[in-house]
Amino acid sequence: MSERCVQSMIKVFESVGLIDEAKHVAEVVQFVRAYKFITAGDLYAKGNYQDLQRYPEVDLAIAADVETTLPSLTEAVKRLITDDRKRVYQDRGAKLGDARQRSLERARTEATYGWDSSPITIARLSAELWMQIKNEDWSLVSDVQFASRWPMRLWSFDKHYQFIGGAGGAGEGYASPASAGAALANKKHGRLSVSINGDGDMMYAPGILWTMAHHHIPLLKVMQNNRAYHQEYMHVQRMANRHERGITRADIGTTLKDPNIDFAKVAQGMGVYAEGPISDPKDLGPALKRAIEVVKRGEPALLDTITEPR
Amino acid sequence: MDLRMSDSLFRRFVRQAHVPSESVEQLCSPCSARLKAGMCLIQRCRPKGRRCKTAPNLHRHSGSLVASLLTLTVVATLLALPAKSLRAGTTGPAPQDEKPPAGNSQNGKKLFTSYGCFECHGNHAEGTSVGGPRLGPNPIPFPAFSKYIRQPTGQMPPFTIKVTSDADLADIYAFLQSLPQPPKADTIPALK
């Protein structure tokens, strides 16, 4: 490994706090030089262009596929675990389990605020959706960032395919087509694919609705319709206030109102089963049931729910 | 400005910021002291790339943790103001005990929308984990509320007197006070 690469590795170790004191640097240099670096990352590229053409200097680059490799790698690691380490892992697991339970209780309490209010809170939307899918073989094929991470806080994720993750680069307009792609991949496994889809995101490529209908992609899209490109809306307001301009014009170009978009009609027009707009939280549960029945029959469905911004 | 905080107030702001107290208790004493003083320990620690030895995970700068600690610092600053007055308070009642100015909650609800408060805090002031915190019911004392809106920290934009009048603030505060208490989580089937 070249000196440049050794120095890069040291910077990485420093940045994640693995080197606390300068006196440890020499030990780390020795460590870095003594070990071989192997990567299986060359075939890994997301929609995020930052990943492309960035090959780290390594001793051995393996063209590997994670889904194929991980099961045997996991078994190999398990065989190497000693009884002492196993006890450490079990203790750590118990502590994490307790922390998770406390976190869940806090989230449940937080979710009660605005429970019966309209627009529907994202907490309620997430809880109602969880009620309908928790006994199914489900997969959340959208990100949770703009949904205030409520699914992460209230749901129980224990399988690798239950969460697709985000765009990787704060990409706008990613969720609508990405969720359809993931649902298509889930189809052959018979999984129930659901997504929480922002209205601003849907406006980038609404044609995905026709694609879903045309290819019979079973996916439930629950709209998080806050009638705005909301991230931008908040940002413009912040900037306007910092310049003491008031916010009376912060909605120009950032909101999706006058007229409001009827996403149910848009979806129906492209051949997708749809209901909405749903603004009363009491209507949400029954509508979810009906839409999930459609998805279980192998077709896409959309619910246009009018929600809180985040 | 003296931003030091008594232990009891420190505990209180930890509760109000919804940060698990056990996380805070893990901090080493220098970091804990800085937090109590209303300083941002993230900004201190990041440039040096060092971690608190007794709670290394608190310095990994994960999104949620940074948000929690920034919130903590913001609320610390916020609540330190009445704390100072309480310590110095030999004249007049403590600000926390002062009655807030009378406001019109209905107008406050409209202002909460027109001033864009709802954008980060939600229409029902329930707060979000990726925007602003919950504001009601049971808002913080009015002097601290008013002070923070005029001179906020972090991502919160300032609403100066040029943009928002004192009367409007009183109406918004009345709206926050008027919000109903939520139902208990264990009475809601979807949350069981």
Side-chain angles (χ1 to χ4, degrees):
Chain A
M1 180 168 282
S2 69
E3 189 55 32
R4 183 179 63 83
C5 201
V6 169
Q7 293 306 320
S8 303
M9 292 299 295
I10 289 170
K11 279 183 186 167
V12 170
F13 287 160
E14 280 179 337
S15 69
V16 298
L18 284 174
I19 304 176
D20 283 341
E21 304 292 341
K23 65 184 178 184
H24 293 149
V25 169
E27 292 172 35
V28 174
V29 169
Q30 195 177 7
F31 166 85
V32 170
R33 286 190 174 135
Y35 279 77
K36 299 290 183 187
F37 287 87
I38 302 171
T39 182
D42 287 356
L43 291 184
Y44 176 68
K46 293 187 288 184
N48 181 358
Y49 287 110
Q50 292 169 24
D51 288 345
L52 302 179
Q53 299 295 321
R54 301 215 173 179
Y55 301 115
E57 185 180 335
V58 295
D59 297 291
L60 178 61
I62 304 172
D65 174 74
V66 174
E67 193 173 354
T68 308
T69 310
L70 203 53
S72 49
L73 183 61
T74 305
E75 289 308 311
V77 170
K78 277 182 180 173
R79 280 196 297 275
L80 294 173
I81 298 174
T82 61
D83 287 344
D84 283 349
R85 294 306 298 167
K86 204 174 280 183
R87 274 193 295 278
V88 170
Y89 297 155
Q90 283 167 348
D91 290 348
R92 188 190 299 161
K95 282 180 187 168
L96 288 172
D98 290 345
R100 162 67 183 159
Q101 189 56 35
R102 288 198 301 274
S103 169
L104 181 60
E105 293 306 320
R106 278 196 301 275
R108 283 172 174 157
T109 302
E110 282 298 303
T112 60
Y113 289 89
W115 183 257
D116 290 319
S117 305
S118 179
I120 300 167
T121 64
I122 311 299
R124 175 140 190 188
L125 187 151
S126 302
E128 296 279 1
L129 182 54
W130 177 236
M131 273 271 280
Q132 303 300 327
I133 67 169
K134 64 183 177 184
N135 295 323
E136 308 283 348
D137 185 19
W138 58 271
S139 174
L140 177 64
V141 291
S142 59
D143 196 7
V144 294
Q145 170 80 7
F146 292 163
S148 290
R149 302 190 184 95
W150 274 112
M152 287 295 175
R153 299 170 73 187
L154 293 173
W155 300 8
S156 178
F157 293 76
D158 53 18
K159 295 185 176 68
H160 73 273
Y161 57 78
Q162 285 177 332
F163 182 49
I164 187 181
E172 286 295 313
Y174 169 85
S176 304
S179 59
L184 182 60
N186 279 334
K187 184 178 179 180
K188 66 180 175 189
H189 299 289
R191 294 169 191 154
L192 174 63
S193 299
V194 299
S195 69
I196 299 174
N197 207 122
D199 54 337
D201 188 282
M202 178 63 85
M203 288 296 282
Y204 281 77
I208 191 63
L209 294 169
W210 179 86
T211 304
M212 286 162 51
H214 180 74
H215 292 289
H216 305 283
I217 299 174
L219 167 61
L220 170 60
K221 276 190 181 294
V222 184
M223 298 297 296
Q224 182 183 339
N225 187 350
N226 53 31
R227 304 206 190 286
Y229 296 106
H230 199 78
Q231 195 66 16
E232 191 65 13
Y233 191 17
M234 290 192 290
H235 179 71
V236 171
Q237 186 208 22
R238 205 157 49 227
M239 293 303 108
N241 265 31
R242 284 186 180 157
H243 293 88
E244 296 189 277
R245 292 174 184 160
I247 60 156
T248 53
R249 286 173 291 172
D251 59 347
I252 297 174
T254 58
T255 52
L256 294 166
K257 57 189 183 184
D258 192 22
N260 292 334
I261 299 167
D262 188 336
F263 283 100
K265 278 188 180 166
V266 172
Q268 287 161 358
M270 296 200 200
V272 173
Y273 172 89
E275 292 187 39
I278 299 167
S279 52
D280 186 340
K282 290 187 179 63
D283 296 335
L284 193 51
L288 283 167
K289 273 185 188 167
R290 291 190 292 272
I292 285 173
E293 284 308 310
V294 172
V295 176
K296 282 183 174 176
R297 292 200 296 269
E299 298 293 334
L302 180 144
L303 293 183
D304 183 16
T305 49
I306 309 305
T307 68
E308 283 285 49
R310 287 285 181 264
Chain B
M1 183 165 56
D2 182 4
L3 290 175
R4 284 173 300 173
M5 189 184 303
S6 69
D7 272 352
S8 60
L9 270 172
F10 178 65
R11 297 287 167 200
R12 194 179 131 206
F13 93 66
V14 166
R15 283 199 304 276
Q16 292 207 7
H18 306 291
V19 173
S21 57
E22 59 269 24
S23 296
V24 176
E25 283 161 4
Q26 288 178 57
L27 288 170
C28 66
S29 53
C31 284
S32 178
R34 288 185 64 83
L35 204 59
K36 284 182 183 182
M39 298 177 192
C40 176
L41 62 102
I42 291 289
Q43 287 182 359
R44 168 181 174 261
C45 295
R46 179 180 271 172
K48 293 185 178 176
R50 292 188 177 179
R51 295 181 298 160
C52 170
K53 286 179 181 171
T54 51
N57 290 335
L58 284 176
H59 295 261
R60 288 193 183 272
H61 311 302
S62 68
S64 58
L65 179 65
V66 171
S68 298
L69 285 175
L70 287 179
T71 307
L72 205 61
T73 309
V74 165
V75 180
T77 308
L78 184 64
L79 293 178
L81 297 169
K84 180 190 175 189
S85 305
L86 277 171
R87 278 196 304 277
T90 50
T91 57
Q96 281 176 307
D97 299 330
E98 277 180 7
K99 281 190 177 177
N104 181 324
S105 62
Q106 289 299 317
N107 191 47
K109 185 177 182 179
K110 289 177 191 164
L111 293 171
F112 198 77
T113 301
S114 63
Y115 278 125
C117 312
F118 79 98
E119 290 175 30
C120 301
H121 299 281
N123 287 282
H124 327 300
E126 74 274 18
T128 71
S129 62
V130 294
R134 176 161 53 81
L135 301 177
N138 309 324
I140 59 173
F142 184 79
F145 171 79
S146 172
K147 178 78 179 172
Y148 188 70
I149 285 175
R150 300 294 191 212
Q151 294 175 305
T153 56
Q155 292 291 306
M156 167 89 179
F159 287 76
T160 63
I161 190 80
K162 187 177 169 184
V163 176
T164 309
S165 69
D166 285 337
D168 284 355
L169 284 193
D171 288 354
I172 291 170
Y173 193 79
F175 163 64
L176 297 176
Q177 286 181 307
S178 74
L179 287 165
Q181 293 295 329
K184 296 281 184 193
D186 55 13
T187 64
I188 299 172
L191 289 176
K192 284 182 181 172

